[in-house]
Amino acid sequence: MNLLVTGGSGFIGSNFIRHMLNKYPGYRIINLDKLTYAGNPANLRDIENYPRYGFVRGDILEEAVVDVVMSRRPDAIVHFAAQSHVDRSIHSAHDFVRTNIVGTHVLLEAAKKYKIERFVHISTDEVYGSTDEGPFRETDILKPSSPYASSKAASDLLAFSFFKTFNLPVVITRSSNNFGPYQYPEKFISLAITNLIEDKKIPLYGDGRNVRDWLYVLDNCEAIDTVLHKGREGEVYNVGGGNEYPNIDIVTMLLDELGKDESYIEYVEDRPGHDRRYAVDTTKIREEFGWQPKRSFREALRDKIAWYQNNEDWWRPIKSGEFLDYYGKQYQNI
Ligand SMILES: NC(=O)c1ccc[n+]([C@@H]2O[C@H](COP(=O)([O-])OP(=O)(O)OC[C@H]3O[C@@H](n4cnc5c(N)ncnc54)[C@H](O)[C@@H]3O)[C@@H](O)[C@H]2O)c1
């Protein structure tokens, strides 16, 4: 199979590319990535010379670029490229609307033109909004809270409309919060771990009682792999780790693992519109395909901590700004 992966230099995309190339010796992958502040070629350093892997630096908003890549006739697209950080979307929604909605539209049009056999659209549980009770099912209405989540919801609907109107073979995954290696250190668990390694405090929003369901990124990669091969066209599949914890509990676990006390917690003013709890019902992907997360939360968390301890040369240049200076000066003011 020939795959086009968008946003493959980011956190989940890079883990997915590595997973696919190692698992399927016959597969070839082209990674189309703009290398925004969040895209990092170092995420794929170990496989960048594989003959079955090709990298194109380009923007999904540029139709001509997308057309050139599509003219190589991939069998399927796995679309990760997005602006992905909620706090940034609150600061400025512009790039989120452009990349997440308009960029997805450009890809859908190209997929239609080249009669792609499969379009896997990577979405998020945040499109459902917050829930105090019970998990969301795939058929529930979308009630996103942040500009990030609403731009993802809009792209889901657009993708679905291309299935309904043009029979484009779209499948959508909506996963809960991922964690694992190569996650940009602005995201909660990565920021917390790297701060503790740097002997700094962990900023914690509000009362710390917001609940997220954590999914180890490699379990998500297996779910996406499954949906790519077996997912039914026009369907949505929720993917969750079944690890619901209030943020304060995550912080407590990290303090415990890294031998620090509660003085390393710094309560900060809550994020506007901060969703209280996300939860997805994953019965559909479990029952249809037998997918389930393989790693226990605590074991995966320890792996992630160890990865950040052993890969300081990956995250320290990002946190210090050296990385931005090198790859994306224009993004420093986001
Ligand atoms: N991280 C999570 O917990 C999570 C959970 C659910 C869903 N998702 C979704 O998964 C996808 C990947 O998330 P992530 O955490 O890996 O994000 P990320 O921010 O780490 O990576 C995004 C990648 O997309 C690239 N990109 C951004 N704009 C682009 C453009 N215009 N053209 C080409 N490339 C562009 C970036 O350079 C980067 O490599 C996103 O669609 C996100 O909404 C993420």
Side-chain angles (χ1 to χ4, degrees):
M1 186 182 260
N2 289 335
L3 284 178
L4 169 60
V5 172
T6 69
S9 302
F11 164 48
I12 306 176
S14 60
N15 278 288
F16 178 75
I17 289 175
R18 182 176 296 101
H19 163 85
M20 295 300 282
L21 287 176
N22 288 333
K23 180 168 171 188
Y24 300 104
Y27 281 25
R28 309 177 77 84
I29 296 182
I30 294 176
N31 170 19
L32 173 63
D33 196 299
K34 180 178 176 180
L35 298 183
T36 66
Y37 79 92
N40 186 346
N43 294 3
L44 289 166
R45 194 69 81 215
D46 54 326
I47 58 154
E48 68 186 0
N49 293 323
Y50 278 24
R52 293 181 289 117
Y53 171 71
F55 173 65
V56 176
R57 185 176 187 181
D59 191 334
I60 57 166
L61 283 160
E62 287 185 31
E63 289 170 32
V65 170
V66 170
D67 200 72
V68 167
V69 177
M70 287 298 293
S71 67
R72 297 187 199 176
R73 297 282 178 174
D75 303 301
I77 299 177
V78 185
H79 173 37
F80 294 93
Q83 287 287 334
S84 69
H85 191 46
V86 173
D87 288 344
R88 287 175 186 258
S89 78
I90 294 167
H91 180 66
S92 170
H94 183 264
D95 282 349
F96 288 74
V97 172
R98 296 259 303 142
T99 299
N100 301 359
I101 306 176
V102 183
T104 299
H105 176 229
V106 171
L107 288 169
L108 288 165
E109 290 289 358
K112 179 171 143 245
K113 174 178 168 185
Y114 285 95
K115 298 185 172 48
I116 200 89
E117 288 167 25
R118 176 68 66 151
F119 189 110
V120 182
H121 177 63
I122 306 298
S123 187
T124 166
D125 63 351
E126 299 195 28
V127 297
Y128 298 115
S130 190
T131 176
D132 291 333
E133 280 175 30
F136 287 112
R137 302 190 61 186
E138 289 84 350
T139 45
D140 284 329
I141 59 159
L142 307 187
K143 238 180 152 184
S145 302
S146 69
Y148 160 69
S150 54
S151 67
K152 294 296 291 188
S155 65
D156 284 21
L157 298 181
L158 202 54
F160 190 64
S161 75
F162 271 64
F163 164 72
K164 287 290 268 189
T165 310
F166 306 113
N167 292 320
L168 193 75
V170 169
V171 202
I172 298 173
T173 66
R174 291 188 184 137
S175 85
S176 60
N177 280 43
N178 283 222
F179 70 105
Y182 300 101
Q183 186 165 29
Y184 198 79
E186 68 185 351
K187 302 280 168 72
F188 175 50
I189 296 184
S190 306
L191 179 70
I193 293 171
T194 55
N195 273 15
L196 291 180
I197 295 174
E198 291 181 300
D199 207 36
K200 290 182 190 161
K201 294 187 178 192
I202 301 174
L204 189 57
Y205 278 136
D207 62 3
R209 306 297 313 167
N210 299 66
V211 174
R212 300 293 181 262
D213 168 18
W214 291 96
L215 171 67
Y216 191 53
V217 66
L218 296 180
D219 285 323
N220 190 22
C221 290
E222 283 176 11
I224 296 165
D225 174 0
T226 302
V227 168
L228 167 67
H229 291 99
K230 300 180 184 163
R232 286 180 291 126
E233 292 175 10
E235 294 290 326
V236 175
Y237 293 90
N238 287 341
V239 188
N243 302 304
E244 273 192 48
Y245 293 104
N247 289 343
I248 182 69
D249 288 9
I250 300 285
V251 167
T252 305
M253 284 183 235
L254 293 174
L255 293 173
D256 180 39
E257 292 290 343
L258 285 146
K260 305 275 190 190
D261 61 35
E262 289 186 357
S263 67
Y264 280 84
I265 304 175
E266 183 180 8
Y267 286 93
V268 296
E269 192 183 336
D270 209 356
R271 166 195 281 169
H274 200 176
D275 284 331
R276 197 65 177 168
R277 173 173 172 263
Y278 296 135
V280 280
D281 181 332
T282 57
T283 306
K284 186 171 171 181
I285 190 169
R286 286 171 188 264
E287 289 195 348
E288 282 191 24
F289 311 125
W291 174 88
Q292 58 179 4
K294 287 187 180 151
R295 285 108 186 147
S296 79
F297 178 74
R298 203 65 193 232
E299 175 199 350
L301 191 66
R302 286 197 187 109
D303 282 357
K304 177 168 170 105
I305 293 170
W307 191 87
Y308 282 78
Q309 285 171 325
N310 296 329
N311 290 279
E312 293 197 10
D313 58 340
W314 181 85
W315 59 264
R316 280 195 187 272
I318 296 174
K319 279 191 121 175
S320 71
E322 279 170 46
F323 169 83
L324 282 180
D325 288 347
Y326 187 68
Y327 284 114
K329 279 190 168 38
Q330 68 271 38
Y331 295 99
Q332 282 188 52
N333 297 326
I334 288 178

